[in-house]
Amino acid sequence: MPSPVPTAGTLQIAAALVFHLPGARLELSSPSGHRCSIGPMTDPRCTLHPAEFRELVVAAGDFQLLGTMLGFALVDEPTLTLTSSGIDMGHLGGGLYRVVGSETTSFAFTTSLPASRVDDLLTSLNTAPAPGCAAGAPGAPDDDGVALCVSLVRDDGLGVTLVVISPFDVKDLARCEAVARASVSACLVAEMEQLTGCLDEAAP
């Protein structure tokens, strides 16, 4: 049977994405065939609101108890598929999502790192946004730079930080994606370093 630790992490990430990304929809499928669709109530396919799902995940912590709360047995890990409701969303790999809204295209991912650590990592990237843009304020990039808006949302209940990176100019979309991919990689490396440090401290 899968370890409850990574499974709980998967649930937390899924809950953070569907709760904090407007227009996101989450499909939960159990090995026994039970299905639950989480998303905005304006979508007739959805039977559970993202806020309700988030509360259940925070309270449950693992998929077995979550299944009990949803009214069916989850003996094995459920399948979680993030789709969209009224927006165009696609998974680019490595936990990075491209979200095409009515006004702009963004790139979003989650990390267990606190927002302050993520901010430090993004600032230190060679392809990082201009300093004013990282704080969410528009700024004019230099000749070799690109102006981006970076939003960091920390959800302490889920232990997840949502990172959303958007270009100020549509012509910078490809460079924005490159920054987002570099940001995901930097956060994954930092997470592994943090995990290794915890294991070293726990070793006799």
Side-chain angles (χ1 to χ4, degrees):
M1 187 169 66
S3 166
V5 176
T7 303
T10 301
L11 288 175
Q12 292 161 354
I13 290 171
L17 286 169
V18 75
F19 179 72
H20 291 290
L21 282 180
R25 184 169 62 91
L26 183 68
E27 290 288 343
L28 184 152
S29 304
S30 75
S32 60
H34 289 89
R35 300 176 67 86
C36 179
S37 186
I38 302 101
M41 292 295 96
T42 52
D43 188 331
R45 297 169 295 183
C46 298
T47 56
L48 191 64
H49 191 276
E52 296 174 301
F53 182 69
R54 180 191 175 279
E55 291 178 3
L56 291 175
V57 171
V58 170
D62 60 55
F63 67 87
Q64 289 98 342
L65 185 52
L66 176 65
T68 301
M69 291 178 168
L70 290 174
F72 52 84
L74 280 177
V75 179
D76 294 313
E77 182 179 358
T79 299
L80 298 166
T81 306
L82 190 69
T83 59
S84 63
S85 176
I87 59 171
D88 181 11
M89 179 183 297
H91 187 221
L92 302 179
L96 180 64
Y97 291 86
R98 176 183 173 124
V99 183
V100 182
S102 58
E103 298 181 357
T104 186
T105 295
S106 303
F107 299 90
F109 66 93
T110 60
T111 175
S112 61
L113 300 172
S116 59
R117 177 66 175 135
V118 177
D119 187 46
D120 289 341
L121 287 171
L122 268 60
T123 302
S124 67
L125 290 175
N126 289 334
T127 53
C133 299
D142 57 33
D143 291 339
D144 297 321
V146 54
L148 303 177
C149 179
V150 179
S151 173
L152 305 177
V153 179
R154 180 65 184 177
D155 191 320
D156 287 323
L158 295 170
V160 170
T161 299
L162 177 71
V163 184
V164 180
I165 304 176
S166 311
F168 280 108
D169 194 322
V170 67
K171 69 180 177 60
D172 292 323
L173 190 60
R175 299 173 74 185
C176 179
E177 181 177 344
V179 172
R181 290 184 183 276
S183 302
V184 171
S185 298
C187 288
L188 286 174
V189 170
E191 287 178 8
M192 291 304 297
E193 291 175 346
Q194 182 174 283
L195 178 61
T196 303
C198 291
L199 293 175
D200 289 343
E201 290 177 5

